[in-house]
Amino acid sequence: SLIQTIDSVMVHVTCNLEENPLSLTVEGTSSIADYTLAKMHPKTLNLSHYRFPSRGQSYISIPSEAFQERAWITIVGMFYHNMHYFFHSINPMDTKIAEAAAYKGYMISATSYLISIKVDPPPKLSHNLSGSPLITIQLTHTLTPRQYSLALNKSNRVHLYCAFLDYSNGTGVWSNEGCVRESGDLNYSVCLCNHLTNFAILMQVVPLKLTREHQVALSSITYIGCALSIFCLTITLVTFAVLSSVSTIRNQRYHIHANLSFAVLVAQILLVTSFQFSPGTVPCKILAILLHFFFLSAFAWMLVEGFHLYSMVIKVFGSEESKHLYYYGIGWGKHLFAACLQSLHGGTRLYSEAYVKDCWLSLENGAIWAFVAPALFVILVNIGILIAVTRVISRISADNYKVHGDANAFKLTAKAVAVLLPILGSSWIFGILAVNAHTLIFQYMFAIFNSLQGFFMFLFHCLLNSEVRAAFKHKTKVWSLTSSSTRNINVKPFNSDIMSGNRAGTTPTKLNTWDKSTNSANRIDLSAV
């Protein structure tokens, strides 16, 4: 409305200028805009075209053949310096740009200066945009650093529209009818139009979408992998519950494993459930909040896994009881506190704005960093712990090889790394690399590794864990003896030192590097992970 008012006032001023045998032009500049007021006879226009502004890389050019009137003509030109800042978030559904409306949800922003020109009586222009004469409009772009970053990202498609403010319905609505973008790049645009009004270049950034085949494939992998993970994590938790009476399974390490398994199990159940709800609904928003909480908790317990491994292998800190409190505080407490604090400060409104698509954090408004930032922190810390632990294991393996010539020690190092990678969350690195269709292989790797995370945890925590296998054998033996009522048999209590080969009265090492059952070589006990 302000732009329309300024144009109307300037036209009124120009119409009241005195007629002069020569052209009368008033030009000037201010902090708001460069302007020109001209009253001339077409015969005095000796140039092939009329250009406004007369200098600069942004201008409107009207061919002289369009001025066919014999009467005096008035021209009002305005080149606004900062009016485009007010058009930074235009809803495509509120425009008359059909191409932009096809990508609803992706906001449009003005990416050039706003230029306006009015000629009375209007010049005779071609109705066909492929004919002549036509108005030529060249506008340089004023991209912000964020817009440049989005435009240069190969995962996005950039749409540039030659648009104008259409006042036919009484209010200014952006439209591109009668205009076409002929050429240009990210720095400028050249447009051809068959009418005069207020012009600007609008930009809309739309993320590239995968083909239907890849979407179906990735969805199938996610569904199958999550179903398998949910099944395996359920077995893992049941196993820990059944074996909880066994001394070796009652320690702190398995408490951490159980909490991590529970967090991942609930997160994956919620993830599969969220696929069934439409974005923007109340159940979708509730699921989004729960998903955020449990995925962050899963990462927190991965961090606890790393801290505990560091305390076991490299440096012991604090008592078992104090560490227990710290671990539960990190794993559950801080997220619950953050959620309560968030709700006190209008968290419901924030989540309704952030979780706008597929019941998850929005990429467009940066809300995704509420998950990515802590996840990256956990991954980086755990990678550091993994490197430190691997160096210790490698050094022990090298010493064993020098003393005993056992090449299997190096295989154990590789096995330790393979065990630790999925447990410490390193597979989520593929999620960072899977940013667009050009890194499709990373999207598949991310879908496979993370949907199967529960399977890997079951594999390494249960199937390949020597302590769990030994505890299960002991439990089975107890059940067998109980069921057969052979109560007179003296069953020795289960003891991890007996199972691991440590003699009574000796102090077990932090890493059981010596297998005293054989004289062949040193062995590294991977039950610590």
Side-chain angles (χ1 to χ4, degrees), residues 271-291:
L271 180 64
V272 174
T273 306
S274 68
F275 296 154
Q276 313 303 321
F277 292 95
S278 301
T281 59
V282 174
C284 185
K285 294 173 185 177
I286 295 173
L287 280 171
I289 297 173
L290 293 175
L291 269 173

Side-chain angles (χ1 to χ4, degrees), residues 3 11 55 60 82-83 85 135 146 174 240 292 319 328 366 403 414 434 452 479 486 497 501 519:
I3 294 171
V11 168
R55 293 180 299 274
I60 291 180
N82 47 27
M83 197 68 75
Y85 292 130
I135 305 296
R146 183 175 181 275
W174 287 103
F240 289 159
H292 192 198
S319 64
Y328 272 86
V403 176
L452 292 176
W479 288 337
T486 321
D497 291 335
N519 298 321

Side-chain angles (χ1 to χ4, degrees), residues 81-113:
H81 296 160
N82 47 27
M83 197 68 75
H84 60 284
Y85 292 130
F86 295 96
F87 300 103
H88 59 83
S89 184
I90 306 168
N91 189 332
M93 303 307 293
D94 295 334
T95 69
K96 293 182 180 180
I97 306 174
E99 300 94 319
Y103 302 105
K104 60 180 179 180
Y106 298 101
M107 293 299 179
I108 306 171
S109 58
T111 187
S112 75
Y113 295 107

Side-chain angles (χ1 to χ4, degrees), residues 124-307:
K124 301 293 184 179
L125 300 171
S126 172
H127 294 288
N128 188 350
L129 288 173
S130 60
S132 63
L134 293 173
I135 305 296
T136 300
I137 304 165
Q138 178 172 307
L139 293 171
T140 55
H141 298 165
T142 57
L143 296 176
T144 63
R146 183 175 181 275
Q147 287 175 325
Y148 257 118
S149 176
L150 291 173
L152 293 176
N153 190 339
K154 292 184 178 179
S155 64
N156 296 325
R157 177 175 294 159
V158 180
H159 298 271
L160 294 169
Y161 308 109
C162 296
F164 65 94
L165 285 169
D166 184 358
Y167 293 102
S168 60
N169 293 332
T171 58
V173 178
W174 287 103
S175 173
N176 65 343
E177 185 180 353
C179 286
V180 63
R181 185 170 181 265
E182 183 187 40
S183 61
D185 52 27
L186 274 181
N187 299 312
Y188 76 99
S189 292
V190 177
C191 306
L192 297 178
C193 296
N194 59 11
H195 56 80
L196 291 172
T197 182
N198 307 280
F199 298 97
I201 304 300
L202 304 184
M203 184 175 78
Q204 185 182 33
V205 178
V206 180
L208 288 172
K209 291 186 177 180
L210 295 173
T211 62
R212 179 66 180 171
E213 292 77 12
H214 288 304
Q215 288 179 357
V216 171
L218 288 169
S219 297
S220 301
I221 292 172
T222 302
Y223 272 111
I224 296 171
C226 285
L228 180 60
S229 285
I230 291 170
F231 176 73
C232 290
L233 287 169
T234 303
I235 295 178
T236 301
L237 290 173
V238 170
T239 301
F240 289 159
V242 170
L243 301 180
S244 60
S245 60
V246 181
S247 60
T248 52
I249 309 300
R250 218 167 34 238
N251 63 36
Q252 194 173 69
R253 185 168 70 252
Y254 290 98
H255 278 289
I256 298 172
H257 292 343
N259 279 278
L260 174 59
S261 300
F262 178 75
V264 175
L265 173 63
V266 175
Q268 295 212 349
I269 291 174
L270 292 172
L271 180 64
V272 174
T273 306
S274 68
F275 296 154
Q276 313 303 321
F277 292 95
S278 301
T281 59
V282 174
C284 185
K285 294 173 185 177
I286 295 173
L287 280 171
I289 297 173
L290 293 175
L291 269 173
H292 192 198
F293 174 79
F294 279 101
F295 268 122
L296 283 182
S297 295
F299 269 96
W301 281 107
M302 290 177 198
L303 183 63
V304 170
E305 290 271 11
F307 283 158

Side-chain angles (χ1 to χ4, degrees), residues 27 51-56 58-59:
E27 293 181 337
R51 169 179 158 148
F52 169 77
S54 57
R55 293 180 299 274
S58 296
Y59 60 86

Side-chain angles (χ1 to χ4, degrees), residues 278-497:
S278 301
T281 59
V282 174
C284 185
K285 294 173 185 177
I286 295 173
L287 280 171
I289 297 173
L290 293 175
L291 269 173
H292 192 198
F293 174 79
F294 279 101
F295 268 122
L296 283 182
S297 295
F299 269 96
W301 281 107
M302 290 177 198
L303 183 63
V304 170
E305 290 271 11
F307 283 158
H308 188 68
L309 184 65
Y310 183 85
S311 70
M312 290 173 59
V313 177
I314 298 175
K315 184 179 180 180
V316 178
F317 56 89
S319 64
E320 289 296 315
E321 184 178 352
S322 65
K323 285 192 292 185
H324 194 74
L325 294 175
Y326 289 147
Y327 290 163
Y328 272 86
I330 294 173
W332 298 114
K334 69 185 185 70
H335 302 304
L336 192 59
F337 174 76
C340 294
L341 197 64
Q342 187 74 1
S343 62
L344 290 175
H345 290 276
T348 305
R349 183 181 62 83
L350 175 63
Y351 278 117
S352 66
E353 293 175 358
Y355 295 91
V356 293
K357 188 176 182 181
D358 299 331
C359 304
W360 187 233
L361 291 158
S362 169
L363 292 171
E364 286 77 19
N365 58 17
I368 189 66
W369 284 100
F371 171 74
V372 173
L376 279 175
F377 172 76
V378 171
I379 291 172
L380 292 175
V381 171
N382 279 349
I383 287 176
I385 293 174
L386 178 62
I387 293 172
V389 170
T390 304
R391 288 179 61 186
V392 172
I393 298 176
S394 299
R395 186 173 66 250
I396 296 174
S397 300
D399 293 341
N400 291 342
Y401 179 73
K402 290 178 182 178
V403 176
H404 302 281
D406 183 12
N408 289 329
F410 293 106
K411 295 180 181 179
L412 291 174
T413 303
K415 182 180 178 182
V417 175
V419 170
L420 290 169
L421 277 172
I423 295 174
L424 298 183
S426 303
S427 59
W428 279 79
I429 295 175
F430 294 122
I432 300 171
L433 298 174
V435 292
N436 55 54
H438 300 280
T439 56
L440 191 60
I441 181 64
F442 293 118
Q443 294 195 36
Y444 276 98
M445 294 176 73
F446 177 63
I448 293 171
F449 280 105
N450 284 280
S451 62
L452 292 176
Q453 190 176 21
F455 169 75
F456 291 131
M457 293 169 66
F458 168 72
L459 184 67
F460 296 127
H461 288 338
C462 292
L463 290 184
L464 300 181
N465 191 302
S466 58
E467 285 186 350
V468 173
R469 292 202 307 269
F472 188 75
K473 289 179 181 178
H474 171 75
K475 198 75 175 178
T476 304
K477 187 175 181 181
V478 171
W479 288 337
S480 176
L481 292 175
T482 303
S483 62
S484 61
S485 301
T486 321
R487 303 184 183 278
N488 60 337
I489 297 178
N490 184 19
V491 181
K492 293 183 179 181
F494 183 77
N495 190 294
S496 61
D497 291 335

